Amino acid sequence: MRSTYQLFPVLQVAKFWYSSRSYAIATNMVELKWEEKYELITRNLAEWLGDEKLKSILKQRDLKLYWGTATTGKPHIGYFTPISKIADFLKSGAEVTVLFADLHAYLDNMKAPWELLELRTQYYEIIIKAMLRSIDVPLEKLKFVKGTDYQLSKEYTLDVYRLSSVVTEHDAKKAGAEVVKQVANPLLSGLLYPGLQALDEHYLEVDAQFGGLDQRKIFTFSEKYLPLLGYEKRIHLMNPMIPGLAGSKMSSSEEDSKIDLLDNAAAIKKKLKKAFCEPGNVNDNGVLSFAKHVIYPLLKEGETFNIQRTAEFGGDISFDTFEDLENAFAKEEIHPGDLKSAVEVYINRLLDPIRKEFEADPKLKSLLSKAYPPQKPKVVEELTPARLDIRVGKIVEVSKHPDADSLYIEKIDIGEASGPRTIISGLVNYVPIEEMQNRMVVILANLKPANLRGVQSHGMVLCASVDEPVRRVEPLRPPLDSKPGEKIIVDGYEDGSPDDVLNPKKKVWEKLQVDLVVNGSGEASWSGNVLLTASGGKLTADSLKNVAIK
């Protein structure tokens, strides 16, 4: 229900237009037999659950169903996939409710910030109604509902609590795995999401819910848990997931994967030109998928899918059915460029009424800009070794840590007016204390201070280190003529200033450290570039080679 519909490998675009034909014809149709209604409801679906119940209802009366969409990212052209099926449902005589799932949008990892929720819901309602009008679907035959109109009621809230008392964390997490945004530290709201979607079926008083195939786990969750509350198990109808322009899922958050409903003709041409459409490939082909699930179902009676070509390349050609188009493309009788050009014509035909509606009303443009304010570009911090403050140091005092047998407490002169720094290092088992006295070492000086067994450490002694076959650690040695406080740079990365303090949350040191090694010549280097003192001297390890520096 709430996912962003995938949309675009070239081959399937055509079939949608074919299957539905014209909605206008359907509104004038004579009373359909239940078998004909069943065919309209189920055609082009990827799967449906509750087949016997569906047939039983249709033998007695028309179906009642709903389609829900979470008001998050801007609807794109992929939304014509469910919209075209809504046309099919209405042709069958079904009572259709469109749910603008605003509360779900917030629960899904706050994809829609609370302060923008109402504005985005308004935009969704306007744009989806415009889409329906663009394919001649009569709005008076649809019911539009906003989630928060009933989901904040006392009865609904009590049912949320009732459901939470029987649903396991495992089942809630599993149900939302393909719909709720997956993050490293998931919020509790994501676990509530599937339960609310299940309860919607009861509170909207429908026989069935319609959504994408990515909703399947939520649908089976609903079938399992609604009866535990004493509520009826519903029918579930699932659309296939259509690939995006790049060959994967079409997403509102990935600009190159989708065509926006308000994109102009030039933008559409540019995006289609870049779309993945490999010759003969009928799988993961977003352009072809759009033809199947949008263009073909909406073709009018007697209309065919037309591809215009020059006489040099065979001249114009038409296809009555998507199967014929798909077979021709599979045999490479249709060039990807020609297919894209044909699909482009139909897309512009679909979007022209929507674009004109928004161009004619400044209030709609204003709503769009408020609901989806321009995002400030993220400032990407350049990750170079110039951000490390590495200096030569001299150990002027050393002792064993009173509360840790493996640690030294060292006073190290790194040329600061404030005097030597206290640095803790785990070298007791590797370097005798007498060899540490007055030793010249290499210090990473801009680590965030850390408390180690009650003593604060203000830096790190950099060492060559190897764990196998036996752990060995050797402090790096600066050149003999080095002075305390002398700066160390990485050859080729002289430009830039070190951070005052490396941010531990951004793991700057950890990311740079993986390329810091003692090379085969025993010299310290970063990504193949040696570390040098101001006078050009190199840092070395006593005996270790081709090992990490930590």
Side-chain angles (χ1 to χ4, degrees), residues 59-233:
K59 289 176 182 178
Q60 302 172 51
R61 59 173 173 83
D62 290 325
L63 192 68
K64 297 178 182 179
L65 62 87
Y66 95 92
W67 171 65
T69 178
T71 52
T72 53
K74 287 190 292 184
H76 49 68
I77 199 169
Y79 278 65
F80 271 109
T81 305
I83 292 297
S84 73
K85 277 307 300 178
I86 288 175
D88 276 346
F89 298 147
L90 291 173
K91 288 178 191 179
S92 76
E95 295 180 24
V96 180
T97 296
V98 175
L99 171 66
F100 298 111
D102 50 353
L103 188 55
H104 286 80
Y106 182 73
L107 291 176
D108 187 0
N109 205 46
M110 295 183 291
K111 283 183 180 177
W114 194 262
E115 62 273 13
L116 297 180
L117 204 57
E118 177 60 30
L119 293 169
R120 291 191 179 182
T121 302
Q122 291 177 31
Y123 178 75
Y124 261 69
E125 182 168 358
I126 290 168
I127 199 75
I128 285 176
K129 286 181 177 179
M131 293 175 71
L132 290 162
R133 283 192 292 269
S134 78
I135 60 172
D136 299 323
V137 174
L139 301 186
E140 61 271 14
K141 290 184 174 288
L142 290 166
K143 180 180 179 182
F144 296 92
V145 178
K146 188 167 65 173
T148 48
D149 288 342
Y150 65 91
Q151 291 167 346
L152 301 179
S153 68
K154 176 182 177 181
E155 295 76 15
Y156 190 95
T157 302
L158 287 175
D159 269 345
V160 172
Y161 287 131
R162 290 176 61 206
L163 194 60
S164 68
S165 71
V166 295
V167 173
T168 66
E169 177 189 6
H170 171 270
D171 282 3
K173 187 175 181 180
K174 178 181 177 182
E178 294 185 33
V179 177
V180 178
K181 184 177 180 180
Q182 302 300 298
V183 295
N185 297 299
L187 300 174
L188 179 61
S189 58
L191 297 178
L192 297 176
Y193 190 111
L196 268 65
Q197 186 169 334
L199 288 173
D200 289 341
E201 298 178 347
H202 173 74
Y203 280 83
L204 292 173
E205 299 179 347
V206 295
D207 306 308
Q209 182 181 174
F210 166 62
L213 191 59
D214 60 341
Q215 303 286 317
R216 193 182 195 282
K217 290 179 181 177
I218 291 183
F219 291 163
T220 56
F221 172 95
S222 174
E223 293 187 5
K224 175 180 178 180
Y225 282 105
L226 277 191
L228 296 183
L229 300 186
Y231 297 148
E232 181 183 353
K233 183 167 70 173

Side-chain angles (χ1 to χ4, degrees), residues 216-488:
R216 193 182 195 282
K217 290 179 181 177
I218 291 183
F219 291 163
T220 56
F221 172 95
S222 174
E223 293 187 5
K224 175 180 178 180
Y225 282 105
L226 277 191
L228 296 183
L229 300 186
Y231 297 148
E232 181 183 353
K233 183 167 70 173
R234 265 65 181 188
I235 299 162
H236 294 102
L237 312 169
M238 287 163 273
N239 249 359
M241 302 306 296
I242 302 178
L245 293 175
S248 58
K249 181 177 179 178
M250 177 170 285
S251 169
S252 296
S253 62
E254 296 182 18
E255 188 63 28
D256 287 342
S257 77
K258 51 92 178 180
I259 288 176
D260 190 87
L261 295 168
L262 300 178
D263 276 346
N264 59 35
I268 292 171
K269 181 181 290 291
K270 181 179 179 181
K271 288 181 178 180
L272 280 175
K273 188 176 181 179
K274 294 166 59 178
F276 176 78
C277 188
E278 187 178 38
N281 185 353
V282 298
N283 301 309
D284 297 324
N285 186 328
V287 185
L288 197 59
S289 295
F290 189 72
K292 175 180 180 180
H293 293 283
V294 180
I295 297 176
Y296 267 99
L298 296 176
L299 287 175
K300 296 179 181 179
E301 187 69 23
E303 189 177 3
T304 59
F305 181 81
N306 300 317
I307 298 178
Q308 295 182 341
R309 301 184 299 189
T310 62
E312 179 185 0
F313 296 106
D316 296 350
I317 187 170
S318 299
F319 296 94
D320 291 328
T321 68
F322 173 75
E323 289 73 20
D324 291 340
L325 172 64
E326 184 178 43
N327 290 334
F329 190 85
K331 296 175 182 177
E332 299 189 27
E333 296 171 356
I334 302 298
H335 189 274
D338 293 329
L339 178 60
K340 290 180 181 181
S341 296
V343 168
E344 179 186 341
V345 172
Y346 289 102
I347 288 176
N348 280 310
R349 183 187 299 179
L350 279 175
L351 299 188
D352 272 341
I354 302 172
R355 293 186 293 225
K356 289 177 181 177
E357 187 172 328
F358 270 74
E359 289 168 2
D361 191 342
K363 292 182 180 179
L364 297 183
K365 291 183 179 180
S366 175
L367 173 62
L368 175 60
S369 64
K370 291 177 181 177
Y372 297 94
Q375 293 184 341
K376 294 180 181 179
K378 292 183 179 179
V379 178
V380 180
E381 295 180 322
E382 188 176 10
L383 196 63
T384 77
R387 297 179 63 177
L388 304 178
D389 185 3
I390 304 176
R391 306 187 208 176
V392 173
K394 181 179 180 180
I395 300 175
V396 296
E397 182 181 328
V398 60
S399 62
K400 288 187 177 181
H401 196 299
D403 297 319
D405 293 339
S406 63
L407 300 180
Y408 283 135
I409 300 176
E410 302 141 351
K411 298 289 185 179
I412 303 181
D413 178 9
I414 57 172
E416 293 177 318
S418 57
R421 287 194 184 191
T422 298
I423 295 179
I424 310 297
S425 61
L427 293 171
V428 170
N429 297 326
Y430 306 103
V431 184
I433 193 167
E434 58 271 16
E435 292 185 19
M436 295 292 288
Q437 298 284 359
N438 298 313
R439 178 170 180 149
M440 300 295 286
V441 289
V442 179
I443 303 301
L444 178 61
N446 59 343
L447 284 177
K448 184 178 180 179
N451 193 300
L452 300 176
R453 295 292 185 91
V455 179
Q456 197 165 56
S457 178
H458 297 267
M460 174 191 293
V461 176
L462 294 181
C463 300
S465 177
V466 63
D467 292 329
E468 295 179 352
V470 178
R471 180 165 173 76
R472 296 174 62 193
V473 179
E474 296 177 356
L476 295 180
R477 288 192 185 274
L480 293 176
D481 58 353
S482 299
K483 301 292 188 291
E486 192 170 352
K487 295 294 183 73
I488 305 295

